[in-house]
Structure formats: structure tokens, C-alpha cells
Amino acid sequence: MINPGKPFNVHDYLEVFLRRIYYFIIPFVLIVAGAGVYAFMVPKEYRATTLILVTPQKVPEDFVRPTVTARIEDRLQSIGQEIMSRTRLEQVIDEFKLYRDESRSMPRESIVELMQKNIQVQLPGKAREGFFTISYIGKDPKVVTLVTNKLASLFIEENLKLREQQAEGTSEFLSVELKATRARLEEQEKVITAYKQRYMGELPEQREANLRVLDQLQMQSQRIGDSIKAAQDRKILIQKQLSDFEILVSTATRAQAAQETADSASAPAPAAAPDMKVSNPHQAQLEKMKNYQADLQARYTEKHPDIVLTRKKIADLEAKSAEFEANREKEEMASKKKAAVREKAPAKPSGGKREIRLDPRLSPRFKELENQVIAADMEIRRLQQEDAKIRSQIDRYRERIENTPAREQGLAILTRDYNNTRDAYASLLKKSQEAKQAENLERRQKGEQFKVIDPARIPEKPFRPDIPKILLIGLFLGFFGGGAAAFFREQMD
């Protein structure tokens, strides 16, 4: 036994090693031989790797925005779960006839789990570098290469399918939302249209027009009022002329009766009868109409309808006055002739007093004045009816103007909801168009893609086992085992 209290040198350890040489050699040889046997007898496994590049979309994002914005890690995880599902892996196993020996003793699920362990998807470095690797480990190097390339193609196909599905789903969702928003927008447009049709004339945008129409109606009502006043004054003037004409006719009748009575009572000397001039009834009316015209000219322009009508009436009165003067001269001449005849004729005995009465209503002049009064009455009634209609319109427009604030508030509520829906519709329409462009981009495979830049090659040496490593480990274990055995035997002596 080694004495720990005694000092040892190299020669002492060498003497112990030589004395226990067999205890070192036998474990060393057994361990190294076992490692060599294990290294050369264990089944060899090969690994094939393919490098896949994530290429960006070929159309700049400023022109077409992609709808698939998930990170590479997330998409690889989703695609990896899809590819390494039991259904997909069973198809690959059946296609390449993998794990024949294991299928005799292992269930199908265990074989699928074994293949899942042999598949590795790695992102070397950071995801923003834009590439990843797919590896597969198997016993046959050719089959491993084929399976690795198959997995790469499945990843590429699944990526295209996933991106296309996401683009189609986004486009379909936006189309449904756009359709619903358009229906809601059309319904709100109908509500606003019905509201405007119901309160037509009371809307805020019609306020200025209503105010202008109200001003025009008020001015028209004022003009009609002035016309009614002028017609009433004209009627009073014509009635005054009728009254003057009746007085004139009555005076003339009485004078004629008195003259005839005097002639029958005595024989007058052959002297000319005093001239009895009858005043012109049109002269006073003419003066009044001229004064009325001067009053109108002070208030209105020369083209005002009342001034034009007054001028016509003054012209008519002047013509009638001239006609009256001419008729009066003719009557005077006729009276003189009758007086001369009476002077030459013998006096007739008076048979009694004879009353002479003339009816002024039978005179054409009286009829004319009556017709003018009737025309004035009709004009006044017409103007009053027109004024009543205009006042009714004025009340209606005033009511519209008074109701405008309430209609403006109700329309503002409807318009606010409509504007919000319209903005949402415009936003959805823009997004829907962008989604359709992105969908076409994915269908034409112009978007982000997976591209194999380093396909899997047939491995030249096995991935497992690592023979040099195993032999090196066996060598170290042999030295350690032999030394430990020699040391243990020396300690036991």
C-alpha cells in the first residue's frame, strides 16, 4: 500500500507502474477495443442540410403593401407544425419507404415521433438575416438527401399556400366588411334623403333662398297694398264724379222745367235767352288724377305700373273732356235754334203746369262711370285676393325660416353618423383594394418567397457516430481505467 507519509518521486511511481503493468494494460485494451468495436459496429447515420433564403417581394412596398406581416420565426413555427404533422410525415414515410426495420417493432406513432426528432429547422444567427436551414438525419445518404429536398419543397409550397390563404382571407374579410358598410351607408343615405324630402324648404342650405324669397314677397305685398290704395282712391274719385254728374243732371232738369214754365206763362220779348253753361264734369276728375300722378311720381319711377295706368286714365279723361266740350257747344247751338223757333211760333195757351224729370242713369256717361266703379271694385278684389295669397306665402316662408334651426340639428345628427360611415367605407375601400393587390401579388408569386440557394447533397461521411471522437474518448477512458485499476491494486496490497 502506498504510504502517504513517505515522499515519492518519479522513479517510485514508475516502479509501481511496472510492477502493476497488467492491471493497467488489461483494462486499457478492453476499453479501447470496446470503443473501437462500438465505433465501427454502431449503425451509421447521415445528415443532409439545405439552405433556404427568404427573398423579399419583387414589387416595392410603397406600391403594394403585403398583407402577410408575420415574422419569419412565427411563420416557420406555423409552417413547421404543418409540415411535421402526422399526416404529412406519414405521406413522406410512405413515399420514401422510411424506417422499415423500425416499423416491425415500433408503432406508427413512435415512428412519426422518431422522424420528427430527426428533422431540424434552424435559424442561423438572427431572423433578420433572411435565411434558415432544414436538416434530416437518416441511415441511407441518398434517401436522406431526397427527404431533405422534399421537406424543403414542402416548406416552400406551404409558405406560398399560407401566404395566399392569408391574403385571400384578408381580402375576403375586407370585402364582407366593405359590403356591410356600403349597405349601412346606403341605408343612411336613404334616411337623409327621406329627411330632406320631408322637410324640403326648411333645410339649412335653403335658409338664404327663403330669406330672399321672403324679402321679395314682402316687397310684392307692399306694392299690392299700394295698388289697392290707389284703386280705392280711384274708386272714390269715380264715385265723386257719379255724384257730381247726378247733381248736374238734376240742376239742368230743374232749370229746363223752370224755363218752360216761364215761356208758357208769358210771351217773352224776342230777346236771346241767357246762356246757361254746364260745367265740365271731367275737369275736376282730370285735376285729381293729375295730382294723383304727381304723388305717384314722387314715390315711384316712371315705369311703375300705377304711373303708367294713371297716364292712360289721364289721356282718357282729356279725350272725354274734349268730347264733352264739343258736345256742349253742339247743344248750345241746338238750344239757340230752338229758342229762335219758339220766338217765331204763336204762343200756346198753357194747359197747366208740366213737370219734366230726366233719369241720369240712362245717360251713357253715367253708365260709363258705373262701369269704371265696377272695374275698380273688381280690381280691388283681385288685388286683395292676390295679397291674401302672398301673405299666406309669407307666413309659410316665415314658418320655414323658424323651423330651420330644428331641421339643422336633426340633419346634423344624421350627417354625423353618415360622415363616420362614409369615412369608414372609404378606409375599407382603400384597404380592400390594397388587399386585392396583395392577393394578386401572392397568386403571381411576386411576394416574399422561400428560395433554395444550397440544395441538399449526398453526405460523404456519416453524421453519427463520430469515429475519431469515439476512439479518442475510448483512449482517454482506457488510460483512466488502467491507471485506476493499477492504483486500486497497489492500494489493496
Side-chain angles (χ1 to χ4, degrees):
M1 182 176 179
I2 296 176
N3 185 6
K6 179 183 177 180
F8 286 88
N9 52 25
V10 177
H11 297 286
D12 295 331
Y13 286 111
L14 183 60
E15 181 184 357
V16 173
F17 175 74
L18 293 176
R19 188 171 56 249
R20 308 297 183 186
I21 186 66
Y22 293 105
Y23 288 95
F24 175 80
I25 292 175
I26 293 173
F28 176 78
V29 172
L30 292 176
I31 293 174
V32 172
V37 171
Y38 174 80
F40 288 99
M41 295 300 294
V42 70
K44 296 180 176 60
E45 294 181 350
Y46 296 87
R47 181 174 69 177
T49 303
T50 180
L51 181 63
I52 298 177
L53 179 67
V54 181
T55 60
Q57 69 178 31
K58 300 178 181 179
V59 180
E61 294 186 2
D62 295 337
F63 295 96
V64 179
R65 282 184 164 277
T67 55
V68 182
T69 58
R71 298 183 304 172
I72 299 177
E73 302 96 316
D74 300 334
R75 279 190 288 138
L76 284 179
Q77 184 177 3
S78 176
I79 295 173
Q81 292 178 356
E82 179 68 24
I83 297 300
M84 289 189 288
S85 63
R86 177 179 178 181
T87 304
R88 289 294 187 91
L89 291 183
E90 285 181 352
Q91 294 176 357
V92 175
I93 291 171
D94 294 338
E95 180 179 356
F96 294 98
K97 299 178 180 179
L98 305 176
Y99 304 104
R100 289 184 178 180
D101 298 334
E102 290 81 354
S103 61
R104 299 173 183 174
S105 59
M106 296 173 61
R108 192 74 167 177
E109 295 180 357
S110 300
I111 294 175
V112 171
E113 292 177 358
L114 179 61
M115 187 173 182
Q116 289 176 349
K117 293 179 180 178
N118 291 332
I119 298 175
Q120 296 178 355
V121 180
Q122 295 178 347
L123 279 170
K126 296 183 179 179
R128 61 174 178 267
E129 294 179 1
F131 62 91
F132 63 95
T133 59
I134 300 176
S135 302
Y136 175 69
I137 300 172
K139 296 179 180 180
D140 189 347
K142 294 183 179 180
V143 175
V144 166
T145 304
L146 295 176
V147 172
T148 304
N149 290 328
K150 177 65 175 180
L151 292 174
S153 64
L154 289 178
F155 266 83
I156 294 174
E157 292 175 1
E158 189 63 28
N159 176 62
L160 294 175
K161 181 179 177 182
L162 180 62
R163 291 183 64 88
E164 187 174 350
Q165 287 178 352
Q166 289 182 356
E168 290 179 354
T170 304
S171 179
E172 182 180 359
F173 171 76
L174 290 175
S175 298
V176 174
E177 289 295 320
L178 183 65
K179 184 177 180 181
T181 306
R182 181 170 60 247
R184 188 165 64 253
L185 184 64
E186 292 175 353
E187 185 66 24
Q188 291 178 352
E189 287 177 350
K190 291 180 181 179
V191 172
I192 293 177
T193 302
Y195 184 87
K196 290 184 177 181
Q197 291 177 353
R198 180 180 179 184
Y199 298 109
M200 182 61 66
E202 301 178 1
L203 301 176
E205 59 268 20
Q206 297 174 334
R207 177 188 293 142
E208 296 298 329
N210 290 336
L211 290 173
R212 289 195 297 269
V213 174
L214 181 61
D215 293 339
Q216 294 176 1
L217 290 175
Q218 288 177 346
M219 294 177 61
Q220 189 175 358
S221 176
Q222 184 178 359
R223 288 196 299 268
I224 292 176
D226 295 339
S227 300
I228 291 175
K229 184 178 179 181
Q232 290 175 349
D233 294 341
R234 190 165 57 253
K235 177 182 176 183
I236 293 173
L237 183 61
I238 296 172
Q239 289 177 346
K240 181 67 171 56
Q241 290 179 2
L242 277 174
S243 178
D244 293 343
F245 185 77
E246 290 179 353
I247 294 172
L248 179 62
V249 171
S250 300
T251 303
T253 302
R254 287 196 299 271
Q256 184 177 2
Q259 182 65 32
E260 290 180 355
T261 303
D263 291 341
S264 61
S266 61
D275 294 337
M276 183 180 62
K277 293 185 178 180
V278 181
S279 62
N280 190 346
H282 301 285
Q283 193 65 32
Q285 185 178 2
L286 184 60
E287 293 296 330
K288 292 182 179 180
M289 291 302 294
K290 287 182 178 180
N291 294 332
Y292 180 67
Q293 182 184 7
D295 186 26
L296 291 177
Q297 287 177 347
R299 289 184 294 172
Y300 306 111
T301 61
E302 294 296 330
K303 295 182 180 180
H304 194 273
D306 292 343
I307 294 179
V308 175
L309 182 62
T310 305
R311 285 179 179 175
K312 292 182 180 179
K313 291 182 179 180
I314 289 175
D316 293 340
L317 289 174
E318 288 177 350
K320 291 177 181 179
S321 178
E323 183 182 358
F324 183 82
E325 293 293 339
N327 291 333
R328 186 172 63 178
E329 290 178 359
K330 291 180 181 180
E331 289 178 359
E332 288 179 356
M333 294 296 294
S335 299
K336 290 179 180 180
K337 289 180 180 180
K338 288 181 181 180
V341 171
R342 282 198 301 269
E343 289 177 357
K344 295 179 181 181
K348 295 182 181 180
S350 176
K353 188 176 181 180
R354 184 177 57 179
E355 185 178 0
I356 300 174
R357 186 177 301 272
L358 297 177
D359 191 357
R361 288 177 301 216
L362 300 177
S363 174
R365 177 58 182 167
F366 188 86
K367 292 291 186 182
E368 181 182 358
L369 293 175
E370 278 189 341
N371 291 334
Q372 291 181 4
V373 172
I374 294 173
D377 287 334
M378 293 177 63
E379 184 178 1
I380 290 172
R381 287 195 296 270
R382 181 183 63 79
L383 291 173
Q384 288 176 347
Q385 292 176 357
E386 186 175 354
D387 186 58
K389 292 181 181 179
I390 291 177
R391 290 185 180 277
S392 176
Q393 293 180 0
I394 289 174
D395 294 337
R396 185 166 66 252
Y397 276 92
R398 282 179 178 172
E399 183 180 1
R400 288 181 179 180
I401 295 171
E402 292 174 357
N403 292 335
T404 298
R407 305 296 174 251
E408 185 176 7
Q409 184 178 3
L411 187 62
I413 296 174
L414 296 177
T415 305
R416 182 177 62 249
D417 297 338
Y418 172 77
N419 290 335
N420 294 334
T421 306
R422 184 184 59 186
D423 295 341
Y425 177 77
S427 177
L428 285 174
L429 180 60
K430 182 179 178 180
K431 292 179 180 179
S432 178
Q433 292 175 352
E434 292 177 353
K436 288 181 180 179
Q437 291 178 351
E439 182 181 355
N440 294 331
L441 187 74
E442 298 299 335
R443 285 181 178 177
R444 297 177 183 179
Q445 297 183 2
K446 300 294 183 181
E448 184 181 276
Q449 297 180 3
F450 292 166
K451 181 179 180 181
V452 176
I453 60 174
D454 190 5
R457 298 179 181 180
I458 298 176
E460 297 178 356
K461 57 181 181 178
F463 170 69
R464 285 195 300 249
D466 190 352
I467 296 176
K469 184 178 180 180
I470 294 174
L471 292 178
L472 183 61
I473 294 173
L475 183 62
F476 279 107
L477 291 177
F479 275 109
F480 179 77
F487 178 78
F488 181 74
R489 181 64 187 86
E490 184 66 23
Q491 286 293 99
M492 294 299 294
D493 189 352

